[in-house]
């Protein structure tokens, strides 16, 4: 097969898996006889599920319109949480032997409580991680919660989880993140021309696939990409920011890129935020996973965490300097509290640095792409001809 | 009937319904105490006091014993909304970039922070500042903070909001956060006030409160007044017990007081100092209710329905809603926000060693429970107070108050209770739809009538 065709083929197969995680999970279960555990964004240490011999799958938003879920969660919740509940109410979470989470976004907690009500026979476990990173009591609390997770997963899977197994899982996930980060580096350096849709497929599939299997495909893909000639772009370079927990619709990326734009970097969850940080070395694997929780927020700050010493906006400013991105599109899922609360801080920083930006609110029910396109074009115009207008948002 | 009838607050241009809610008179004293509290706080700077801005749980006894003055952000946001003075703060927030779907408490109070900052930087007395519109004056009057403490249970927004306040003041001020686990119930022994998770969470929060005290001592240079804390908790415990006794009296049919009266008593129990005046206030409320019972005076002239109210308050609409329900002869007898909150388990407080009991009350924030826990409390109250239907306030921008509501409604229906939802918001009037409340309330009351006919 030609290299370009093989690249397409690998990414296409990963995209198909990412689109239908339950098919993949069912197949994996029949191949291995292991348990499949649904885990929820954004801070869950998947390594511990993997070490239990189970398949951790980050439950994705489903494209289906919300139906029965309406009777369990109000319509003024973010699309992700409404979709989760709807999936529970329509039998789409049946492929999971348990649902586990550690995050405390208020909307997510409400959604999971509704799931627990709707699926009384499915184990649903919350090991709530304290979100304030600054107090001395937090670190031992997180370690304790990881210990509880370990115990609960041992019960679910019927086997003790050894330290060695966790270390092996950490190594496997670190390798996988490293492979994905390499693709990101190549995109930033203009070495490859993968589209936003394709980049998303790489990360989303990592969220749902067996890690070794995913890494094998990524390693092959990387060797192919590295053999390709550089792909510098004369288009306007943008950074995509935000969009917690679930993936923006690929059509949105297609539309943005159709406006003479190349996306050089992002900090979205189904993007760089997910792969930014490896689990640090530590003899005690629980300590290592605890360290990861803190290290991630230092690397790519998230407004769902409360930390005095880091700022998302400073991170963004630095990221733009590194990549040469000329502007930012901020993607906020409608009703996402932690993002709405933080957005003005981002905006202030963009103004201070003279960075053009555009705010786009996304919705589960679909996007007015034509209207949004006009706004993206306006942003591109501002970047190309800075004297025109300064504030398209 | 000898009791004065109080008129309601009306939205601009709204038709004025016949005022029929026979509100308690004794709660007016609370209004006065709260007004005095704020007026005093507004002068904190001139008096050289150290000011803490805090959000969430009632940690004011700790702040009092630390020798600082306390400003409860949400309480001020609620006050502005109840006085229909929230607009300047919200406009300031909007100009800063807040989307209107964001928690309106946070939007209002962050707007106040922006206005306060503006005023502080002008270094002029707000009242004498030329060109400051009247309405803006109150929103801008908070004394700038010296410290921040966040202590918000049950809601990630509550915690993140202070993270923003900290940034609005340029990350210059000391800031301490108390974190609360949600009372979720992973284990079979978990439930309201019981189980290993409850014990662990209580200890975890108590530990943080000791750390908070150390932080306050360090920041203020004041030695923490433990005896002062014990004393204020002694008074708060007595006041809380009187409030509970008074609530209990409302099991009577017809009820002598309603939910809206209890809403009027939230501010005093939530953030006023623990002292004899607080005890006297709740003694006064209880006495008035006892007198009403003796004299056969009821909260509604013609109580025909007994309802519960679930959700956080719609502060713009308290008086309006009080009359709306009264017009339909519907006594809202109990509510999660009033009955399952605010030092409502005083037996947990050990006056000699109050920290653990305080931590437990903070955990018992009415929005810090799983739906299962909520059902235990809310449906338990429905039984206690002879409730026939639950009115759910689907608070548009408060996911914390709406978590679990639809599940709770299903559980209530399984027990034969009627349920209805209306949309509104904690501090943003624009989300309130009167027609929806009106039509759904009428439909629910009709169903209750039909149910009664069937049973009779
Ligand atoms: S962080 Fe935002 S997107 Fe994620 S669950 Fe919370 S509200 Fe939804
Ligand atoms: S969303 Fe509700 S509970 Fe959370 S901070 Fe706002 S008003 Fe408070």
């Amino acid at each position: 097969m030609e290299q370009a065709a093989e690249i397409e083929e690998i990414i296409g197969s990963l995209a198909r898996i990412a689109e239908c995680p339950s098919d993949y999970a069912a197949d994996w279960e029949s191949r291995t006889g292991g348990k499949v555990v649904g885990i929820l964004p954004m801070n869950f240490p998947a390594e511990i599920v993997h070490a239990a011999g189970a398949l951790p799958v980050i439950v994705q938003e489903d494209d289906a319109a919300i139906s029965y879920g309406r009777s369990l969660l109000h319509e003024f919740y973010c699309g992700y949480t409404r979709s989760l509940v709807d999936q529970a109410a329509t039998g789409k979470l049946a492929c999971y032997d348990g649902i586990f989470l550690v995050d405390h976004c208020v909307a997510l907690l409400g959604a999971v409580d509704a799931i627990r009500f709707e699926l009384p026979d499915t184990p649903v476990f919350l090991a709530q991680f304290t979100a304030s990173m600054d107090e001395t009591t937090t670190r031992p609390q997180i370690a304790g919660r990881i210990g509880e997770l370990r115990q609960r997963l041992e019960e679910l899977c019927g086997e003790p989880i050894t330290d060695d197994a966790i270390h092996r899982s950490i190594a496997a996930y670190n390798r996988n993140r490293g492979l994905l980060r390499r693709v990101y580096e190549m995109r930033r350096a203009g070495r490859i021309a993968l589209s936003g849709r394709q980049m998303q497929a790489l990360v989303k599939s990592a969220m749902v696939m067996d890690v070794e299997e995913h890494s094998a495909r990524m390693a092959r893909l990387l060797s192919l990409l590295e053999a390709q000639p550089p792909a510098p772009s004369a288009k306007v370079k943008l950074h995509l920011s935000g969009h917690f927990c679930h993936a923006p619709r690929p059509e949105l990326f297609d539309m943005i890129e159709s406006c003479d734009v190349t996306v050089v970097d992002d900090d979205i969850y189904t993007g760089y935020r997910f792969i930014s940080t490896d689990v640090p070395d530590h003899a005690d694997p629980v300590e290592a996973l605890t360290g990861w929780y803190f290290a991630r927020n230092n690397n790519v700050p998230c407004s769902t965490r409360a930390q005095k010493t880091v700022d998302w906006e400073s991170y963004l400013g630095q990221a733009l300097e590194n990549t040469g991105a000329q502007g930012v599109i901020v993607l906020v899922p409608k009703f996402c509290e932690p993002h709405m609360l933080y957005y003005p801080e981002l905006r202030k920083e963009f103004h201070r640095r003279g960075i053009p930006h555009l705010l786009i609110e996304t919705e589960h029910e679909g996007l007015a792409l034509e209207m949004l396109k006009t706004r993206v074009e306006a942003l591109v115009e501002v970047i190309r001809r800075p004297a025109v207008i300064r504030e398209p948002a | 009937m000898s009791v004065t009838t109080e008129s309601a607050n009306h939205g601009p241009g709204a038709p004025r319904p016949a005022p029929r809610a026979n509100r308690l008179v004794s709660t007016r004293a609370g209004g006065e105490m709260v007004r005095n509290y704020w007026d005093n706080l507004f002068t904190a700077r001139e008096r050289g006091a150290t000011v803490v801005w805090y959000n969430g749980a009632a940690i004011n006894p700790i702040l009092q014993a630390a020798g600082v003055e306390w400003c409860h952000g949400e309480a001020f946001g609620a006050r502005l909304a109840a006085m229909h003075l929230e607009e300047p703060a919200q406009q300031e927030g909007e100009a800063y970039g807040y989307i209107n779907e964001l928690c309106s408490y946070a939007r209002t109070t962050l707007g106040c922070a922006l206005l306060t900052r503006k005023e502080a930087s002008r270094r002029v007395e707000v009242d004498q500042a030329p060109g400051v519109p009247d309405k803006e004056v109150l929103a801008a009057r908070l004394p700038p903070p010296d410290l921040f403490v966040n202590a918000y249970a049950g809601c990630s927004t509550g915690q993140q909001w202070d993270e923003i306040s900290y940034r609005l003041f340029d990350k210059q001020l000391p800031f301490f956060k108390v974190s609360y686990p949600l009372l979720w119930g992973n284990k079979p022994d978990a439930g309201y006030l019981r189980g290993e998770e409850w014990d662990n969470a209580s200890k975890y929060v108590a530990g943080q409160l000791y750390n908070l005290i150390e932080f306050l001592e360090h920041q203020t240079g004041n030695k923490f007044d433990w005896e002062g804390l014990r004393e204020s908790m002694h008074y708060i415990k007595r006041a809380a017990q009187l409030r509970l006794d008074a609530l209990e009296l409302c099991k009577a049919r017809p009820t002598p007081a309603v939910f809206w009266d209890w809403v009027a008593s939230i501010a005093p129990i939530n953030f006023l100092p623990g002292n004899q005046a607080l005890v006297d206030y709740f003694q006064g409320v209880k006495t008035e209710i006892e007198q009403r019972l003796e004299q056969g005076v009821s909260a509604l002239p013609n109580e025909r329905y007994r309802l519960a109210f679930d959700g956080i308050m719609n502060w713009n609409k308290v008086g309006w809603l009080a009359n709306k329900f009264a017009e339909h002869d519907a006594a809202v007898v109990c509510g999660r926000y009033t009955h399952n909150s605010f030092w409502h388990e005083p037996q947990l407080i050990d006056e000699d060693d109050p920290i653990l009991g305080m931590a437990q009350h903070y955990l018992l924030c009415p929005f810090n429970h799983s739906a299962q826990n909520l059902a235990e409390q809310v449906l338990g109250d429905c039984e206690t107070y002879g409730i026939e239907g639950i009115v759910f306030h689907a608070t548009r921008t408060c996911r914390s108050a709406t978590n679990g509501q639809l599940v709770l409604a299903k559980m209530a229906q399984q027990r034969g209770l009627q349920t209805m939802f209306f949309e509104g918001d904690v501090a943003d009037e624009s989300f309130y739809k009167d027609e929806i409340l009106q039509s759904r309330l009428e439909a629910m009351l009709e169903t209750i009538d039909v149910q009664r006919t069937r049973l009779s």
Side-chain angles (χ1 to χ4, degrees):
Chain A
M1 199 187 292
E2 284 233 358
Q3 284 192 345
E6 195 181 346
I7 290 172
E8 289 290 327
E9 205 278 320
I10 294 174
I11 298 176
S13 68
L14 294 176
R16 283 189 293 280
I17 291 171
E19 277 319 296
C20 202
S22 54
D23 284 359
Y24 177 83
D27 178 55
W28 183 90
E29 199 165 19
S30 69
R31 276 190 279 140
T32 64
K35 303 262 188 210
V36 178
V37 177
I39 60 177
L40 300 183
M42 290 189 283
N43 289 287
F44 198 99
E47 288 85 346
I48 196 125
V49 178
H50 182 261
L55 176 71
V57 175
I58 297 180
V59 184
Q60 303 291 315
E61 186 192 29
D62 186 272
D63 280 354
I66 308 297
S67 54
Y68 296 113
R70 276 178 208 283
S71 71
L72 289 163
L73 204 66
H74 290 291
E75 63 176 11
F76 44 81
Y77 280 62
C78 72
Y80 179 60
T81 48
R82 291 172 67 221
S83 171
L84 282 181
V85 170
D86 198 59
Q87 290 179 60
T90 52
K92 289 179 181 164
L93 300 184
C95 57
Y96 301 111
D97 295 297
I99 305 280
F100 281 57
L101 79 157
V102 303
D103 272 82
H104 95 146
C105 162
V106 64
L108 195 61
L109 292 179
V112 177
D113 209 6
I115 291 173
R116 182 164 66 163
F117 174 78
E118 191 63 17
L119 306 176
D121 298 329
T122 302
V124 175
F125 189 76
L126 165 68
Q128 187 180 333
F129 282 11
T130 294
S132 173
M133 318 294 265
D134 298 317
E135 282 67 35
T136 51
T137 41
T138 302
R139 196 172 274 269
Q141 193 262 4
I142 303 299
R145 294 297 200 198
I146 294 175
E148 286 169 19
L149 272 179
R150 181 179 188 166
Q151 200 186 350
R152 192 58 195 259
L153 284 160
E154 287 175 342
E155 284 162 22
L156 185 76
C157 299
E159 292 285 340
I161 304 174
T162 64
D163 282 3
D164 279 351
I166 306 177
H167 278 301
R168 280 196 299 277
S169 299
I170 288 173
Y173 276 86
N174 279 351
R175 174 166 182 256
N176 188 256
R177 282 183 283 255
L179 291 165
L180 283 159
R181 280 200 303 273
R182 178 73 194 121
V183 182
Y184 262 80
E185 281 158 21
M186 292 171 76
R187 174 163 81 158
R188 287 178 191 136
R191 292 272 330 274
I192 52 171
L194 295 189
S195 65
R197 180 184 277 271
Q198 289 176 312
M199 293 297 285
Q200 184 183 89
L202 302 187
V203 179
K204 247 178 105 174
S205 55
M207 293 175 163
V208 303
M209 281 175 76
D210 172 72
V211 65
E212 274 101 0
E213 201 182 325
H214 190 264
S215 289
R217 295 202 204 180
M218 282 304 302
R220 175 67 190 148
L221 178 67
L222 261 177
S223 69
L224 292 166
L225 290 173
E226 275 166 352
Q228 295 288 301
S233 162
K235 296 179 178 178
V236 165
K237 294 179 179 174
L238 292 185
H239 179 110
L240 297 187
S241 177
H243 224 278
F244 294 153
C245 295
H246 58 307
R249 297 282 162 91
E251 310 84 271
L252 183 63
F253 293 153
D254 299 345
M255 179 276 286
I256 291 170
E257 285 161 339
S258 75
C259 300
D260 203 26
V261 162
T262 179
V263 176
V264 288
D265 200 4
D266 68 59
D267 58 65
I268 59 181
Y269 177 62
T270 44
Y272 189 67
R273 188 177 291 284
F274 182 67
I275 57 166
S276 69
T277 309
D278 284 343
V279 177
D281 274 343
H282 198 289
D284 177 350
V286 170
E287 284 298 325
L289 292 174
T290 306
W292 180 67
Y293 177 64
F294 289 88
R296 282 178 79 225
N297 207 53
N298 285 326
N299 278 354
V300 185
C302 176
S303 66
T304 65
R305 304 298 98 184
Q307 183 170 352
K308 290 185 288 190
T309 49
V310 296
D311 288 305
W312 190 3
E313 64 270 32
S314 319
Y315 160 81
L316 262 171
Q318 191 58 53
L320 263 72
E321 271 177 33
N322 295 345
T323 60
Q326 297 156 283
V328 180
I329 295 185
V330 176
L331 299 173
V332 182
K334 190 161 187 188
F335 305 117
C336 177
E337 287 272 320
H339 202 164
M340 287 192 287
L341 202 46
Y342 211 89
Y343 166 67
E345 304 309 307
L346 302 179
R347 190 173 85 150
K348 202 161 59 177
E349 183 70 3
F350 296 149
H351 285 174
R352 198 179 69 76
R353 288 178 179 252
I355 300 168
H357 84 285
L358 173 66
L359 171 73
I360 293 181
E361 266 192 311
T362 67
E363 290 192 55
H364 179 78
E365 281 70 21
L367 293 162
L369 282 175
E370 275 313 308
M371 217 168 74
L372 290 174
K373 188 170 183 191
T374 314
R375 296 176 61 209
V376 176
E377 284 167 347
L379 173 73
V380 169
E381 186 68 7
V382 170
I383 292 169
R384 287 212 185 281
R385 297 167 55 209
V388 179
I389 339 163
R390 290 308 312 174
E391 180 52 63
Chain B
M1 279 192 205
S2 60
V3 183
T4 316
T5 299
E6 195 175 280
S7 65
N9 267 335
H10 300 282
R16 191 183 179 83
R20 298 179 66 191
N22 186 18
R23 310 278 298 271
L24 291 179
V25 173
S26 52
T27 56
R28 290 179 184 176
E32 189 60 28
M33 288 158 80
V34 170
R35 197 164 27 253
N36 291 341
Y37 161 82
W38 286 113
D39 284 345
N40 184 49
L41 185 68
F42 295 150
T43 64
R45 282 287 165 169
E46 291 87 65
R47 290 182 283 107
T50 301
V51 177
V52 176
W53 279 21
Y54 74 111
N55 268 320
I59 55 165
N60 50 302
I62 293 177
L63 302 174
Q64 186 179 349
V68 298
E69 300 208 8
W70 56 96
C71 173
H72 193 247
E74 296 151 273
F76 194 64
R79 183 168 177 78
L80 287 181
M83 296 166 86
H84 299 282
L85 292 176
E86 73 284 12
E87 206 180 297
Q90 289 185 0
Q91 278 172 356
E92 191 71 18
E94 195 182 332
Y96 190 65
Y98 296 121
I99 297 168
N100 76 334
E101 294 290 355
L102 175 67
C103 159
S104 54
Y105 251 162
R107 272 189 282 135
T108 308
T109 314
L110 288 169
C112 290
L114 289 161
L115 289 169
T116 295
R117 238 195 86 135
K118 241 192 213 174
E119 289 309 318
S121 67
R122 282 184 210 162
R123 292 178 200 286
V124 289
E125 277 300 308
V126 154
D127 291 322
Q128 290 143 32
V132 179
D134 280 357
K135 275 178 127 187
E136 197 173 302
V137 169
L138 187 60
R141 282 197 74 183
L142 292 182
D146 296 294
L147 310 168
F148 291 107
V149 176
N150 178 266
Y152 219 110
C155 180
S156 48
T157 301
Q159 186 176 59
Q160 288 144 11
W161 152 10
D162 273 340
E163 208 64 34
I164 301 294
S165 303
Y166 172 69
R167 283 163 171 76
L168 290 183
F169 285 86
D170 303 321
K171 300 176 77 172
Q172 300 292 321
L173 301 175
F175 178 19
F176 188 91
K177 287 164 268 182
V178 184
S179 299
Y180 303 91
L182 177 74
L183 299 175
W184 169 260
N186 280 312
K187 301 203 170 145
D189 70 344
Y192 184 64
L193 303 184
R194 62 180 186 275
E196 192 188 334
E197 287 175 37
W198 165 246
D199 291 340
N200 289 343
S202 304
K203 285 182 209 140
Y204 175 52
V205 175
Q208 293 177 73
L209 295 183
Y210 286 111
N211 291 352
L212 168 64
I213 289 167
E214 261 177 42
F215 163 86
L216 291 167
E217 282 190 321
H218 178 72
Q219 295 298 338
T220 60
N222 300 339
K223 186 138 182 48
F224 190 73
D225 180 3
W226 282 101
E227 199 38 54
L229 178 70
R230 285 190 271 270
E231 192 180 311
S232 49
M233 288 316 296
H234 161 77
Y235 288 118
I236 284 174
K237 183 172 178 173
R238 281 182 58 200
Q241 189 58 53
L242 287 165
R243 191 178 79 103
L244 284 192
D245 295 345
L247 290 172
E248 177 95 358
L249 293 173
C250 296
K251 288 199 279 194
R253 285 171 185 267
T255 183
V258 283
F259 174 76
W260 318 106
D261 295 307
W262 301 118
V263 168
S265 285
I266 286 175
I269 195 71
N270 191 29
F271 61 85
L272 289 188
N275 54 23
Q276 186 60 45
L278 188 71
V279 174
D280 292 345
Y281 169 74
F282 281 102
Q283 181 62 61
V285 172
K286 186 181 166 206
T287 303
E288 185 183 359
I289 290 177
E290 283 167 339
Q291 281 168 357
R292 282 189 168 197
L293 285 172
E294 275 164 28
Q295 294 163 8
V297 175
S298 56
L300 304 187
N302 180 26
E303 174 184 307
R304 287 176 55 217
Y305 309 97
R306 290 172 76 88
L307 307 179
F309 187 96
D310 187 82
I312 200 165
M313 208 43 247
N314 188 326
W315 289 110
N316 299 104
K317 292 281 167 194
V318 179
W320 173 267
L321 290 171
N323 280 344
K324 178 67 79 185
F325 283 87
E327 274 170 40
H328 290 83
D329 300 328
V332 181
V333 185
C334 62
R336 174 165 30 137
Y337 197 52
T338 48
H339 287 54
N340 308 116
S341 193
F342 307 113
W343 306 113
H344 62 297
E345 300 287 357
Q347 77 286 356
L348 295 174
I349 298 166
D350 175 347
E351 290 179 37
D352 295 325
D353 186 9
I355 292 291
L356 182 67
M358 294 170 79
Q360 291 178 319
H361 275 95
Y362 303 157
L363 278 163
L364 291 176
C365 160
F367 308 119
N368 195 40
H369 298 281
S370 65
Q372 192 56 49
N373 255 10
L374 285 183
E376 202 175 322
Q377 296 168 75
V378 174
L379 302 184
D381 280 348
C382 286
E383 222 171 289
T384 304
Y385 292 96
I387 298 301
E388 299 157 293
I390 307 179
V391 179
F392 288 91
H393 177 205
T395 322
R396 174 77 179 203
T397 70
C398 179
R399 262 63 50 176
S400 179
T402 52
N403 272 354
Q405 277 190 330
L406 285 154
V407 170
L408 184 58
K410 285 179 193 283
M411 292 175 178
Q413 287 153 15
Q414 283 163 5
R415 294 201 191 179
L417 289 162
Q418 298 304 316
T419 62
M420 62 161 273
F421 281 85
F422 76 99
E423 264 208 19
D425 197 30
V426 58
D428 187 338
E429 211 163 355
S430 66
F431 290 116
Y432 173 75
K433 302 279 175 294
D434 194 43
E435 324 75 64
I436 293 182
L437 172 66
Q438 179 82 22
S439 60
R440 292 192 184 156
L441 179 61
E442 280 166 9
M444 182 167 85
L445 298 179
E446 271 171 34
T447 315
I448 291 174
D449 285 336
V450 172
Q451 205 174 25
R452 283 180 187 165
T453 324
R454 280 209 199 109
L455 289 175
S456 61

